[in-house]
PDB file of all heavy atoms in Angstrom:
ATOM      1  N   LEU Z  19      -0.166   1.991   6.824  1.00 97.00           N
ATOM      2  CA  LEU Z  19      -0.475   2.931   5.746  1.00 97.00           C
ATOM      3  C   LEU Z  19      -0.447   2.253   4.386  1.00 97.00           C
ATOM      4  O   LEU Z  19      -1.299   2.517   3.524  1.00 97.00           O
ATOM      5  CB  LEU Z  19       0.499   4.111   5.773  1.00 97.00           C
ATOM      6  CG  LEU Z  19       0.311   5.095   6.919  1.00 97.00           C
ATOM      7  CD1 LEU Z  19       1.452   6.111   6.943  1.00 97.00           C
ATOM      8  CD2 LEU Z  19      -1.021   5.802   6.800  1.00 97.00           C
ATOM      9  N   VAL Z  20       0.521   1.364   4.190  1.00 97.00           N
ATOM     10  CA  VAL Z  20       0.603   0.640   2.919  1.00 97.00           C
ATOM     11  C   VAL Z  20      -0.619  -0.256   2.745  1.00 97.00           C
ATOM     12  O   VAL Z  20      -1.226  -0.301   1.668  1.00 97.00           O
ATOM     13  CB  VAL Z  20       1.906  -0.179   2.853  1.00 97.00           C
ATOM     14  CG1 VAL Z  20       1.879  -1.164   1.699  1.00 97.00           C
ATOM     15  CG2 VAL Z  20       3.108   0.749   2.738  1.00 97.00           C
ATOM     16  N   LEU Z  21      -1.007  -0.955   3.798  1.00 97.00           N
ATOM     17  CA  LEU Z  21      -2.151  -1.861   3.701  1.00 97.00           C
ATOM     18  C   LEU Z  21      -3.459  -1.109   3.472  1.00 97.00           C
ATOM     19  O   LEU Z  21      -4.290  -1.535   2.669  1.00 97.00           O
ATOM     20  CB  LEU Z  21      -2.244  -2.725   4.959  1.00 97.00           C
ATOM     21  CG  LEU Z  21      -1.142  -3.784   5.078  1.00 97.00           C
ATOM     22  CD1 LEU Z  21      -1.235  -4.498   6.419  1.00 97.00           C
ATOM     23  CD2 LEU Z  21      -1.230  -4.775   3.946  1.00 97.00           C
ATOM     24  N   ILE Z  22      -3.655   0.010   4.151  1.00 98.00           N
ATOM     25  CA  ILE Z  22      -4.884   0.771   3.941  1.00 98.00           C
ATOM     26  C   ILE Z  22      -4.902   1.368   2.538  1.00 98.00           C
ATOM     27  O   ILE Z  22      -5.956   1.467   1.901  1.00 98.00           O
ATOM     28  CB  ILE Z  22      -5.103   1.858   5.030  1.00 98.00           C
ATOM     29  CG1 ILE Z  22      -6.539   2.392   4.981  1.00 98.00           C
ATOM     30  CG2 ILE Z  22      -4.137   3.006   4.893  1.00 98.00           C
ATOM     31  CD1 ILE Z  22      -7.578   1.409   5.362  1.00 98.00           C
ATOM     32  N   GLY Z  23      -3.735   1.733   2.029  1.00 97.00           N
ATOM     33  CA  GLY Z  23      -3.657   2.213   0.647  1.00 97.00           C
ATOM     34  C   GLY Z  23      -4.038   1.133  -0.347  1.00 97.00           C
ATOM     35  O   GLY Z  23      -4.741   1.392  -1.332  1.00 97.00           O
ATOM     36  N   MET Z  24      -3.613  -0.099  -0.097  1.00 97.00           N
ATOM     37  CA  MET Z  24      -3.974  -1.208  -0.971  1.00 97.00           C
ATOM     38  C   MET Z  24      -5.473  -1.473  -0.926  1.00 97.00           C
ATOM     39  O   MET Z  24      -6.099  -1.747  -1.952  1.00 97.00           O
ATOM     40  CB  MET Z  24      -3.185  -2.453  -0.582  1.00 97.00           C
ATOM     41  CG  MET Z  24      -1.713  -2.350  -0.911  1.00 97.00           C
ATOM     42  SD  MET Z  24      -0.713  -3.667  -0.204  1.00 97.00           S
ATOM     43  CE  MET Z  24      -1.457  -5.104  -0.917  1.00 97.00           C
ATOM     44  N   VAL Z  25      -6.063  -1.374   0.253  1.00 97.00           N
ATOM     45  CA  VAL Z  25      -7.509  -1.590   0.389  1.00 97.00           C
ATOM     46  C   VAL Z  25      -8.274  -0.484  -0.337  1.00 97.00           C
ATOM     47  O   VAL Z  25      -9.256  -0.749  -1.040  1.00 97.00           O
ATOM     48  CB  VAL Z  25      -7.907  -1.652   1.875  1.00 97.00           C
ATOM     49  CG1 VAL Z  25      -9.412  -1.600   2.051  1.00 97.00           C
ATOM     50  CG2 VAL Z  25      -7.338  -2.906   2.515  1.00 97.00           C
ATOM     51  N   VAL Z  26      -7.820   0.748  -0.206  1.00 97.00           N
ATOM     52  CA  VAL Z  26      -8.496   1.877  -0.853  1.00 97.00           C
ATOM     53  C   VAL Z  26      -8.391   1.758  -2.371  1.00 97.00           C
ATOM     54  O   VAL Z  26      -9.347   2.060  -3.090  1.00 97.00           O
ATOM     55  CB  VAL Z  26      -7.903   3.212  -0.352  1.00 97.00           C
ATOM     56  CG1 VAL Z  26      -8.326   4.375  -1.215  1.00 97.00           C
ATOM     57  CG2 VAL Z  26      -8.302   3.433   1.097  1.00 97.00           C
ATOM     58  N   LEU Z  27      -7.256   1.297  -2.877  1.00 96.00           N
ATOM     59  CA  LEU Z  27      -7.088   1.152  -4.319  1.00 96.00           C
ATOM     60  C   LEU Z  27      -7.822  -0.067  -4.869  1.00 96.00           C
ATOM     61  O   LEU Z  27      -8.135  -0.112  -6.063  1.00 96.00           O
ATOM     62  CB  LEU Z  27      -5.597   1.048  -4.665  1.00 96.00           C
ATOM     63  CG  LEU Z  27      -4.805   2.339  -4.533  1.00 96.00           C
ATOM     64  CD1 LEU Z  27      -3.334   2.085  -4.798  1.00 96.00           C
ATOM     65  CD2 LEU Z  27      -5.337   3.401  -5.478  1.00 96.00           C
ATOM     66  N   ALA Z  28      -8.102  -1.040  -4.039  1.00 96.00           N
ATOM     67  CA  ALA Z  28      -8.765  -2.258  -4.510  1.00 96.00           C
ATOM     68  C   ALA Z  28     -10.192  -1.970  -4.964  1.00 96.00           C
ATOM     69  O   ALA Z  28     -10.674  -2.619  -5.895  1.00 96.00           O
ATOM     70  CB  ALA Z  28      -8.764  -3.315  -3.414  1.00 96.00           C
ATOM     71  N   GLY Z  29     -10.869  -1.029  -4.352  1.00 94.00           N
ATOM     72  CA  GLY Z  29     -12.242  -0.705  -4.730  1.00 94.00           C
ATOM     73  C   GLY Z  29     -12.364  -0.260  -6.176  1.00 94.00           C
ATOM     74  O   GLY Z  29     -13.096  -0.881  -6.954  1.00 94.00           O
ATOM     75  N   PRO Z  30     -11.658   0.783  -6.587  1.00 94.00           N
ATOM     76  CA  PRO Z  30     -11.730   1.206  -7.991  1.00 94.00           C
ATOM     77  C   PRO Z  30     -11.243   0.140  -8.970  1.00 94.00           C
ATOM     78  O   PRO Z  30     -11.754   0.053 -10.083  1.00 94.00           O
ATOM     79  CB  PRO Z  30     -10.829   2.443  -8.041  1.00 94.00           C
ATOM     80  CG  PRO Z  30     -10.818   2.951  -6.650  1.00 94.00           C
ATOM     81  CD  PRO Z  30     -10.935   1.754  -5.771  1.00 94.00           C
ATOM     82  N   VAL Z  31     -10.292  -0.688  -8.558  1.00 94.00           N
ATOM     83  CA  VAL Z  31      -9.814  -1.748  -9.451  1.00 94.00           C
ATOM     84  C   VAL Z  31     -10.940  -2.741  -9.727  1.00 94.00           C
ATOM     85  O   VAL Z  31     -11.142  -3.167 -10.869  1.00 94.00           O
ATOM     86  CB  VAL Z  31      -8.575  -2.449  -8.849  1.00 94.00           C
ATOM     87  CG1 VAL Z  31      -8.238  -3.719  -9.599  1.00 94.00           C
ATOM     88  CG2 VAL Z  31      -7.385  -1.503  -8.844  1.00 94.00           C
ATOM     89  N   VAL Z  32     -11.691  -3.111  -8.691  1.00 91.00           N
ATOM     90  CA  VAL Z  32     -12.812  -4.035  -8.877  1.00 91.00           C
ATOM     91  C   VAL Z  32     -13.869  -3.406  -9.777  1.00 91.00           C
ATOM     92  O   VAL Z  32     -14.408  -4.072 -10.675  1.00 91.00           O
ATOM     93  CB  VAL Z  32     -13.404  -4.444  -7.514  1.00 91.00           C
ATOM     94  CG1 VAL Z  32     -14.712  -5.194  -7.695  1.00 91.00           C
ATOM     95  CG2 VAL Z  32     -12.402  -5.277  -6.731  1.00 91.00           C
ATOM     96  N   ILE Z  33     -14.167  -2.143  -9.583  1.00 92.00           N
ATOM     97  CA  ILE Z  33     -15.156  -1.457 -10.422  1.00 92.00           C
ATOM     98  C   ILE Z  33     -14.682  -1.421 -11.871  1.00 92.00           C
ATOM     99  O   ILE Z  33     -15.453  -1.656 -12.809  1.00 92.00           O
ATOM    100  CB  ILE Z  33     -15.422  -0.023  -9.895  1.00 92.00           C
ATOM    101  CG1 ILE Z  33     -15.960  -0.075  -8.468  1.00 92.00           C
ATOM    102  CG2 ILE Z  33     -16.362   0.729 -10.810  1.00 92.00           C
ATOM    103  CD1 ILE Z  33     -17.254  -0.829  -8.314  1.00 92.00           C
ATOM    104  N   PHE Z  34     -13.405  -1.147 -12.068  1.00 92.00           N
ATOM    105  CA  PHE Z  34     -12.861  -1.117 -13.433  1.00 92.00           C
ATOM    106  C   PHE Z  34     -12.944  -2.497 -14.084  1.00 92.00           C
ATOM    107  O   PHE Z  34     -13.314  -2.620 -15.252  1.00 92.00           O
ATOM    108  CB  PHE Z  34     -11.409  -0.629 -13.403  1.00 92.00           C
ATOM    109  CG  PHE Z  34     -10.746  -0.689 -14.748  1.00 92.00           C
ATOM    110  CD1 PHE Z  34     -11.027   0.261 -15.709  1.00 92.00           C
ATOM    111  CD2 PHE Z  34      -9.852  -1.700 -15.050  1.00 92.00           C
ATOM    112  CE1 PHE Z  34     -10.431   0.205 -16.958  1.00 92.00           C
ATOM    113  CE2 PHE Z  34      -9.249  -1.765 -16.291  1.00 92.00           C
ATOM    114  CZ  PHE Z  34      -9.540  -0.811 -17.254  1.00 92.00           C
TER     115      PHE Z  34
END
Side-chain angles (χ1 to χ4, degrees):
L19 288 172
V20 168
L21 289 174
I22 194 67
M24 290 170 59
V25 169
V26 166
L27 288 176
V31 168
V32 170
I33 300 300
F34 175 77

